Amino acid sequence: MSKAMADEPDVAIIGAGAAGISAARSLAAGGLTCLLLEALPRLGGRASTRETSVMPLDLGCGWLHSGDRNPWTRIAGELGFTVNRDTSAWGEQFRDLGFTPAEHTAARRAFARLSERLATTPPVTDRASDALDPADGWTSYLQVLSGYISGDELERISCRDYTAYDEASTDLNWRVPAGYGALVAASLPAQAAICLSTPVEAIRLDDRRVVVETAAGSVRARAVIVTASTNVLVGSSIRWPSALDPWRHAASRLPLGSNEKLFLEVIGSSPFEDETHLIGDPRDATTGSYYIRPFGRPVIECFLGGAGARAVAEHGSAAAFERATDQLAALFGSDVRRNLRPLLASDWTRTASIGGAYSHALPGQSDARTLLARPLDDRLFFAGEATHTTDFSTAHGAFQSGARAAAEVIAALAAVVT
């Protein structure tokens, strides 16, 4: 057992992603000792930057959504990370390839009408698909966008949940050239102890402490902050006390969607231009979204959501790279095949300690976010993007939830005589 585990910290934090690191920052500022237990061999959770020969690449979150009010923007400045505030190319279709201006306009209007119906006249079922108008003629395109935004099809999306995020967003999406994951990892406070590659196996409540069991030993803490994903909360990899059954039920109503990224290296002279974007096939609900040569570097990011991302888990990254290359060749000409080389791929669905991308509420279940955020017995506290009612699915929502849970812990422990 490591010394950090034997020292009985004030607070044990399960998960060293954006929420766990945020909680550690607040606890350290409040004078409490904490130990983060992380199953992965790295910090960051779903914020993961990989260094490559081309540039740092974010396999997880890559955009500072609502950048003007995103706390990571401030932290980036404090830590010396550059924030790029240029308008992104998302939403554009480079040279109208495979998507004429008239079609693009019609598709975007269909999306605007759907968003308006979800906000103003939502169906009584709270099921987003029930707000579709077949007369719009762009159902596949709308399902593609649902996959990118929520990681799942509209049939499994709550209107209230979707609208809560949409209304809170400022639509300012900025980037960290050095990597969002690198920023999150660099923000861990020096006072916090960390045990990587240490998956939690069980949590027990005794008379005065919470016991967190791992293969490397057990930690006894005055309180525990759980930042595990909803899929992990629902799953069987951790033995939870039966008192947490209502929390686990709430988590089951907030499943993780499916999103994956593929990165292709651009080799030699090609028709790919800096900072451009297009959708592979707007009529295909499994299509990729391609961000081309970000920051002028020779790479293309293929973003997949919903059914497209599930296909990666089912058929593997090699097949996904082949399909992405086929889509780009169909748009730019077959000669571009010689310019494309698989570089890197995410695998969030099969990452056991996470199990997917980000949470969405099932129809009629948006209240589960508030239920999941409740403390248990002022000893077990919950954070993570799924516990935020408006900024879920984001690293800044995770950050805010970690700060909220830490404040709850500080208040609870201050009221207890040890």
Side-chain angles (χ1 to χ4, degrees):
M1 179 190 300
S2 70
K3 182 178 184 301
M5 297 178 74
D7 280 347
E8 296 198 6
D10 292 318
V11 186
I13 302 172
I14 299 177
I21 289 174
S22 170
R25 289 168 62 91
S26 293
L27 293 171
L32 295 179
T33 60
C34 66
L35 169 64
L36 293 94
L37 299 168
E38 171 56 54
L40 295 171
R42 58 168 180 81
L43 297 170
R46 283 168 276 180
S48 174
T49 301
R50 291 277 294 275
E51 292 291 338
T52 73
S53 58
V54 176
M55 63 183 294
L57 297 174
D58 276 313
L59 286 173
C61 54
W63 295 90
L64 291 161
H65 295 301
S66 297
D68 54 332
R69 64 174 183 83
N70 188 320
W72 291 111
T73 303
R74 170 183 54 80
I75 295 169
E78 294 171 355
L79 297 179
F81 281 74
T82 298
V83 172
N84 179 282
R85 292 171 168 81
D86 294 344
T87 301
S88 83
W90 266 87
E92 299 177 4
Q93 188 76 5
F94 178 66
R95 293 184 179 174
D96 305 318
L97 296 176
F99 205 9
T100 68
E103 291 171 334
H104 199 186
T105 297
R108 295 186 71 169
R109 285 177 177 168
F111 178 64
R113 286 192 290 268
L114 173 63
S115 298
E116 182 178 4
R117 288 192 292 271
L118 293 177
T120 61
T121 57
V124 294
T125 60
D126 192 43
R127 184 179 297 110
S129 61
D130 290 346
L132 287 168
D133 182 356
D136 280 337
W138 286 100
T139 296
S140 292
Y141 174 79
L142 299 177
Q143 292 286 25
V144 167
L145 296 188
S146 179
Y148 299 156
I149 294 167
S150 302
D152 212 336
E153 283 73 28
L154 292 164
E155 285 78 5
R156 287 169 53 82
I157 302 300
S158 159
C159 302
R160 283 190 293 273
D161 201 53
Y162 176 94
T163 300
Y165 177 92
D166 196 43
E167 291 179 346
S169 173
T170 68
D171 294 324
L172 290 175
N173 300 309
W174 298 339
R175 288 175 288 177
V176 182
Y180 206 157
L183 168 62
V184 172
S187 67
L188 181 71
Q191 305 96 309
I194 174 76
C195 289
L196 299 175
S197 301
T198 309
V200 170
E201 298 179 343
I203 293 178
R204 293 187 290 106
L205 302 173
D206 66 16
D207 291 339
R208 301 196 51 163
R209 290 286 188 269
V210 184
V211 181
V212 182
E213 298 179 358
T214 79
S218 297
V219 179
R220 290 171 51 83
R222 297 172 64 194
V224 168
I225 296 177
V226 177
T227 74
S229 74
T230 54
N231 282 10
V232 170
L233 284 166
V234 172
S236 59
S237 62
I238 299 176
R239 297 190 303 277
W240 305 97
S242 59
L244 279 185
D245 286 351
W247 280 258
R248 299 182 70 198
H249 176 62
S252 72
R253 296 152 61 191
L254 302 166
L256 299 189
S258 298
N259 292 92
E260 303 290 355
K261 289 182 179 181
L262 310 173
F263 292 94
L264 298 109
E265 184 176 3
V266 179
I267 303 166
S269 177
S270 75
F272 303 121
E273 295 187 11
D274 296 353
E275 289 290 334
T276 55
H277 171 271
L278 45 69
I279 288 179
D281 182 353
R283 299 161 192 80
D284 179 355
T286 68
T287 192
S289 169
Y290 299 90
Y291 205 99
I292 298 172
R293 295 184 63 92
F295 304 119
R297 304 306 294 271
V299 68
I300 296 175
E301 176 189 294
C302 171
F303 184 60
L304 296 161
R310 293 195 297 271
V312 179
E314 182 178 356
H315 302 295
S317 61
F321 276 119
E322 182 177 355
R323 185 165 188 270
T325 301
D326 287 344
Q327 285 200 330
L328 291 168
L331 295 171
F332 289 90
S334 60
D335 286 349
V336 301
R337 293 180 183 277
R338 64 179 178 231
N339 300 121
L340 298 171
R341 180 166 64 193
L343 182 62
L344 192 63
S346 67
D347 193 8
W348 296 110
T349 299
R350 294 186 295 187
T351 300
S353 62
I354 297 174
Y358 31 77
S359 69
H360 61 83
L362 296 173
Q365 307 298 329
S366 60
D367 64 322
R369 298 195 184 279
T370 300
L371 297 175
L372 183 59
R374 296 170 300 158
L376 169 65
D377 191 32
D378 277 343
R379 289 194 290 169
L380 277 177
F381 300 80
F382 293 84
E385 53 86 14
T387 68
H388 202 291
T389 57
T390 59
D391 290 338
F392 49 85
S393 79
T394 68
H396 65 275
F399 181 95
Q400 292 162 353
S401 75
R404 182 261 308 153
E408 293 170 349
V409 169
I410 291 169
L413 296 189
V416 177
V417 178
T418 59

